[in-house]
Amino acid sequence: MGVQLDKSGKMSGFNELLLNGVSSCWKSPSNIALVKYWGKRGNQIPANASISITLSEAYTITKVKAKPAAKPGNGPEVLFWFEGEHNSLFSAKIENFLKDILPFMPFLDQVSLEIESGNNFPHSAGIASSASGMSALAVCLCSIENQLLQQPVDENEFKRKVSFISRIGSGSACRSVFGQYAVWGKHQDVEDSTDEYAVSLGFEPHDSMKNIHDTIFIVDPTAKKVSSRVGHNLMNGHVFAEARYEQAKMNMSQILKAIRTGDWDLFAAITENEALSLHAMMMSSSPGYVLMHPNSLIIIDKIINFRKQTGAKLCFTLDAGPNIHLLYPHQEMAILRPLVSELKDFCYNNSVIEDMMGSGPAKLNCR
Ligand code: PMV
C-alpha cells in the first residue's frame, strides 16, 4: 500500500501497516543544564538560551503502539501504563500533550495509542524525569509518523522534529535529543540556534570537555516543592528578570568559550554561577522558595574546599531542587573517590547516582 498521510500529515485512509499496528520503542536520557532555562513565554518559548549535558544512565524507555482509532477525528485516543500500571495523573498529562502537538502531527487524530513507559531510575530519586519521559515519547511518535509516511528520513530533520515535539511537552526535554552538549534558544554564538528546538554545539568541544561525569547526590528524594510550570511563571514580573536573562546570555558566551578551549576554571565558574542564580531567582520571587536542604549547602561547601585544597577539576550544579550534581572530566575520577564517599553521608540513605555524558536517544527492539 502507498503513503497514507498527505504532506500536512493528514491520513487519507488506513494502510495495512496501521491495521496490523505500528509500533516504536526508544530509550531517551535525562539532561542537566549548565546555563539554566528559567522563564518562558507563549508556547514553551524560552526567555533565554540554555545549554545542557546529555546524560546516559538516567533514562526512560517508552513503547508506543498505534492502531486505527475507534472514532477518528475525536482527538487522540490513548491508553497509558507507567511502570506496568495505569497512572491517572500521568495519563492526563499525556492526553494534554497529545492535544497540544496535534497541529504538528495531524495523524494522531486518526489513531488509538497504547503507550508503555518506565524509568530506569527510581521516581523517588528526585531526578527530573520530564526531560527523559517527554523526549522518549516524542521520538516514538515521530518514528511512527515516519513509518506511516513510508518516506526516506533525513536524520537531522528527524532529530529537529523530535526536539520540537519534545519541547512542547517539557522545555528542557528538547535538549535530550542530542548527545554530548545541546543548546536550546536563539543565541548569537551558536549558528542555527533557535527557540523552537535544540541543536548540537556546532563545533568540536575541547578533548578534555568530551567526557564529563555527573555524580548526583540525592539529598532529598521527595518530589519538587515547586513545579517547573509554577517556577517559570514566577519569572513573569520578577524584579530581577531582565538582569537574569542578560546574565544567562553572557554566561552562554563564556561557557561556550570554556567548552571550546578546555578552560575548566571558566566552565566551573559559570556552571556554579548559574546554579546559584537559579536558586537566587527562586528565593527572591514572590512568593519566595528555598529549594535547597541544609545538606545541599554542606555538600557545596565541601566541593569548593576540596577544589581549593587539591586543585582538582570539579564543580557543582543543581536543578530546581536540593540534589547536587558533581561534574568533572573523566580523568579526575580517581582523585575524587574519597570526596564522593564523604559526601554520601549527607545524602538520603547514602543515595548517589553515577552518571556521565551520553549520546542521546537510542532505538530499541522491545517486545
Ligand atoms: O523543562 P522544564 O519546564 O521542567 O524546566 C526545567 C528548568 C530547569 O531544570 C530548572 C533548568 C533547565 O534548563 O533544565
Side-chain angles (χ1 to χ4, degrees):
M1 289 285 279
V3 176
Q4 296 294 308
L5 304 181
D6 67 18
K7 282 217 172 75
S8 69
K10 278 226 159 40
M11 198 170 293
S12 52
F14 296 118
N15 57 15
E16 281 160 29
L17 206 64
L18 187 62
L19 284 172
N20 291 330
V22 176
S23 63
S24 176
C25 183
W26 287 74
K27 78 172 184 179
S28 189
S30 187
N31 70 73
I32 179 71
L34 304 170
V35 172
K36 310 290 183 182
Y37 147 58
W38 201 239
K40 62 178 168 183
R41 57 190 164 79
N43 191 8
Q44 304 272 80
I45 297 299
N48 61 267
S50 58
I51 180 169
S52 58
I53 288 179
T54 299
L55 298 175
S56 68
E57 300 306 309
Y59 55 81
T60 300
I61 293 183
T62 297
K63 182 181 173 186
V64 179
K65 191 168 179 191
K67 291 185 292 186
K71 290 183 186 160
N74 270 357
E77 293 171 4
V78 59
L79 281 174
F80 179 71
W81 292 266
F82 184 72
E83 295 181 349
E85 289 178 12
H86 284 286
N87 179 314
S88 52
L89 183 72
F90 287 175
S91 294
K93 275 192 181 173
I94 301 289
E95 274 169 33
N96 286 337
F97 169 61
L98 294 172
K99 279 186 196 127
D100 289 347
I101 61 172
L102 192 55
F104 312 105
M105 292 192 139
F107 82 94
L108 289 174
D109 218 10
Q110 309 288 315
V111 294
S112 152
L113 299 175
E114 286 177 11
I115 305 173
E116 290 171 53
S117 194
N119 297 336
N120 76 324
F121 50 94
H123 12 223
S124 56
I127 300 296
S129 55
S130 63
S132 56
M134 283 301 174
S135 55
L137 179 54
V139 68
C140 287
L141 294 174
C142 290
S143 157
I144 286 178
E145 183 180 49
N146 281 340
Q147 291 177 54
L148 294 172
L149 276 166
Q150 294 179 285
Q151 279 172 1
V153 189
D154 173 82
E155 201 193 326
N156 291 330
E157 188 73 25
F158 178 69
K159 282 189 174 175
R160 278 197 288 273
K161 175 123 192 201
V162 173
S163 181
F164 176 91
I165 295 293
S166 304
R167 184 201 100 218
I168 302 199
S170 159
S172 58
C174 75
R175 297 185 310 235
S176 282
V177 178
F178 297 86
Q180 239 178 14
Y181 296 95
V183 171
W184 171 40
K186 184 82 200 130
H187 191 272
Q188 78 259 12
D189 295 354
V190 182
E191 219 185 314
D192 298 336
S193 60
T194 159
D195 291 344
E196 301 281 318
Y197 48 81
V199 295
S200 304
L201 278 184
F203 62 84
E204 191 68 8
H206 188 271
D207 279 349
S208 62
M209 297 287 183
K210 284 183 179 167
N211 197 354
I212 307 288
H213 283 246
D214 179 6
T215 300
I216 311 167
F217 296 95
I218 310 300
V219 173
D220 181 352
T222 51
K224 291 196 269 187
K225 274 190 206 165
V226 187
S227 70
S228 296
R229 192 176 50 81
V230 171
H232 289 294
N233 277 340
L234 288 170
M235 287 303 283
N236 295 329
H238 194 300
V239 282
F240 300 139
E242 289 316 311
R244 161 64 199 148
Y245 303 145
E246 199 48 44
Q247 175 197 37
K249 192 173 164 188
M250 291 188 297
N251 280 346
M252 279 295 290
S253 296
Q254 293 297 302
I255 206 148
L256 289 163
K257 189 168 129 200
I259 294 168
R260 190 184 283 114
T261 60
D263 184 341
W264 183 267
D265 292 347
L266 181 59
F267 180 95
I270 301 298
T271 300
E272 293 183 355
N273 176 254
E274 279 290 316
L276 297 176
S277 298
L278 170 70
H279 282 259
M281 286 301 112
M282 285 306 291
M283 289 186 197
S284 53
S285 60
S286 180
Y289 290 93
V290 179
L291 302 182
M292 285 198 222
H293 182 280
N295 286 0
S296 316
L297 291 168
I298 294 177
I299 293 177
I300 288 175
D301 200 42
K302 286 187 181 289
I303 290 173
I304 295 171
N305 282 336
F306 187 87
R307 184 168 57 216
K308 275 194 193 137
Q309 281 158 16
T310 62
K313 292 182 164 60
L314 70 163
C315 68
F316 67 85
T317 187
L318 295 91
D319 238 324
N323 302 321
I324 307 287
H325 293 244
L326 175 65
L327 304 180
Y328 49 95
H330 178 71
Q331 60 270 23
E332 301 293 299
M333 220 173 149
I335 194 175
L336 294 184
R337 284 301 102 192
L339 175 69
V340 169
S341 11
E342 186 191 347
L343 298 184
K344 274 186 182 171
D345 288 347
F346 300 94
C347 295
Y348 175 85
N349 277 349
N350 294 102
S351 307
V352 169
I353 295 179
E354 297 281 1
D355 213 329
M356 67 187 80
M357 219 171 210
S359 52
K363 195 171 182 179
L364 303 177
N365 282 321
C366 303
R367 287 181 161 267

